Structures are given as C-alpha cells and as structure tokens.
Amino acid sequence: MSTQNPAKPLHGRVAVITGASSGIGEASAEHLAALGAKVAVLARRAERLDDLVTRIDKNGGTALALTADVTEAEEVLSAADQVEAELGSADLLFNNAGVMLPAPIEELRTDQWRQQIDVNITGLMNTIGAFTPQLVRAAGERGVADLINTASIAAQNIFANFAVYSGTKAYVSHFSRHLRVELGPKNVRVAAIEPGIVGTELQSHVTDQGAQDWLAGSKETMEWLTPEDIAETVGFIATQPPRVNLQQVTIMPTGQAS
C-alpha cells in the first residue's frame, strides 16, 4: 500500500465493487476512486455503469465497467479475467450486491426466498470464488489486500417478517469471520460491514405492505444513513495500515435503536 500521497492513500490499488449501479456500490466506487484506486464496477445495468465510469473519469479517476449478474458464476469469472487483463490483479473486493424482500413466512413467497438466497449468498460466493486468487496473489506482492462484505444489522437483531433476508445476512457475517481465519495469514484482510437503515433502492424493491409501512414510519422518526456514509467506512477500512483488520463494523443511524 502506497503511503507517498496522503490525499490518494489507495494509489496503485485495484478495487472491484459489485452492486455498483446504485446506492452504496455507486457511492463506494466514486469514493475509492477519489482515494486513488483504479475501480472496476460490476452490475447488471450497463447504462448506469457507463454513467458512473464517465463521472469517475471526469474527476480524474480510472474506472472499468463490467456488466455481469453475480448469480451467474461464468459471468463473474469472465469479469475477473477482464479486471486482471485491463487493470491488474484486484487487491480490494467490495461485495455489495444484495436484495431485501421481507414478507411474513406464512405467505410462502418462495420466489422471493430464492431471489434473496441467490443474490445475497450465491452471488457473494461466486464473486469471492472468482476474485480470491487475485486477492491472494496481490497480497503476496503488495503486502495487503481487502475483502469487504456487506452484511446488515439484521444479521444480529430480530425483525418480524425479515427472516429470510436476515438469515442471508447472518450467513455473510459468519462466513466473513471464517474467511478471515483462512485468508488473514496470507495478508488478505476480511471485514463485514453491518449497516442499519441506509437510504438506497433497496427499500423500493419491498412488496410487503407491512414492511413498507414500517420503513415509511422509520423515515419519519429518524434520519437514515446515506450511501456515502457506508462508502467512507469502506474507504476507512481499506486505508488502515496492513497490520490492522477491522473484522466487523456495525454502523447505525443515531436514531435507530436496533
């Protein structure tokens, strides 16, 4: 990790961000690029990725758009090859693609169960599988690499009608702790970020009326986190000295009790 330019502490690093077409992923890509990293932005919506790359380029950064669905292993493997060919080995992976579809379990919304498991768990695994070889190789060459996964406060706390979503995010947090044991000795730091409510597109995907009402009520009583708040947390994790691994970071709106 270069320390020659305090204004660009990630200079020389290559960051990959999934779920980068909006919200936390989009904000994180812009922030990491501003810190000096070359960024590869991965999502399904090509037009939004192109707009993001244009903004990063105009601000003096370097970005590469990768249109891929994280639930398709071959697409992610192809994206990983493209990153290495065009930017070099990734040494920072921010797994952020995710979906939240709460509903009472008695409604048996098996389509929504499957979608959450496919994106939040299988998509995470596909991306980790595709990029871990690069992270390990980069860590061996540069002394440090970062694997950062977006979990949720729902991984720890109990919310009615969020059982499937919460289960997928508990997987992310627990899996991250196990990976840290495997990859830490190879200089790959593993971190899980567990945000409370963040104002993103995630809420617009919710179809359950009870959950919609709960979210609307919470917005009236507290100020939600912004995607930029999470982006700065990602940047903070990645700019720590190589000896420092923030294993798990919980970030909450001040007004959110649980």
Side-chain angles (χ1 to χ4, degrees):
M1 183 188 301
S2 172
T3 58
Q4 295 180 351
N5 184 354
K8 302 284 185 181
L10 297 182
H11 176 74
R13 298 191 64 179
V14 176
V16 176
I17 302 98
T18 68
S21 60
S22 66
I24 292 171
E26 181 180 21
S28 296
E30 293 191 86
H31 184 59
L32 295 176
L35 293 177
K38 298 176 183 178
V39 298
V41 293
L42 190 153
R44 293 177 299 169
R45 294 178 288 186
E47 185 176 341
R48 289 204 177 191
L49 291 181
D50 290 341
D51 290 344
L52 174 59
V53 166
T54 298
R55 290 200 307 275
I56 290 172
D57 288 344
K58 283 183 178 179
N59 288 326
T62 299
L64 172 67
L66 301 166
T67 305
D69 183 341
V70 295
T71 68
E72 299 293 336
E74 291 302 321
E75 292 186 20
V76 184
L77 284 167
S78 178
D81 289 342
Q82 190 175 349
V83 170
E84 189 156 39
E86 298 193 31
L87 301 179
S89 292
D91 63 4
L92 197 169
L93 172 61
F94 180 35
N95 270 312
N96 177 68
V99 63
M100 180 180 72
L101 300 168
I105 206 72
E106 291 175 291
E107 290 185 1
L108 303 180
R109 292 300 306 272
T110 56
D111 56 333
Q112 293 188 350
W113 300 353
R114 188 176 302 110
Q115 185 179 355
Q116 290 174 97
I117 292 167
D118 286 349
V119 177
N120 299 353
I121 296 179
T122 304
L124 175 93
M125 298 301 298
N126 287 341
T127 310
I128 288 173
F131 284 98
T132 292
Q134 292 186 36
L135 295 175
V136 171
R137 186 161 55 251
E141 295 170 354
R142 306 170 192 174
V144 70
D146 286 287
L147 171 55
I148 304 171
N149 300 319
T150 300
S152 168
I153 191 62
Q156 307 293 336
N157 294 346
I158 307 301
F159 299 96
N161 303 329
F162 282 75
V164 176
Y165 174 75
S166 297
T168 65
K169 290 304 182 177
Y171 177 93
V172 174
S173 290
H174 198 56
F175 181 66
S176 298
R177 288 192 287 271
H178 279 272
L179 277 188
R180 181 177 175 274
V181 175
E182 291 188 37
L183 298 178
K186 298 180 180 181
N187 295 326
V188 178
R189 304 183 292 199
V190 182
I193 299 177
E194 297 184 342
I197 301 179
V198 186
T200 69
E201 284 187 358
L202 211 62
Q203 292 84 29
S204 68
H205 301 157
V206 174
T207 59
D208 178 69
Q209 187 61 52
Q212 288 177 346
D213 293 343
W214 179 79
L215 288 165
S218 75
K219 200 166 188 179
E220 294 293 323
T221 59
M222 76 175 88
E223 184 177 4
W224 289 0
L225 296 172
T226 68
E228 289 74 22
D229 295 329
I230 311 305
E232 294 202 11
T233 302
V234 173
F236 179 75
I237 291 170
T239 54
Q240 293 304 297
R243 66 180 180 275
V244 178
N245 184 179
L246 297 175
Q247 172 180 290
Q248 185 171 305
V249 178
T250 300
I251 174 170
M252 300 281 285
T254 301
Q256 185 177 357
S258 62

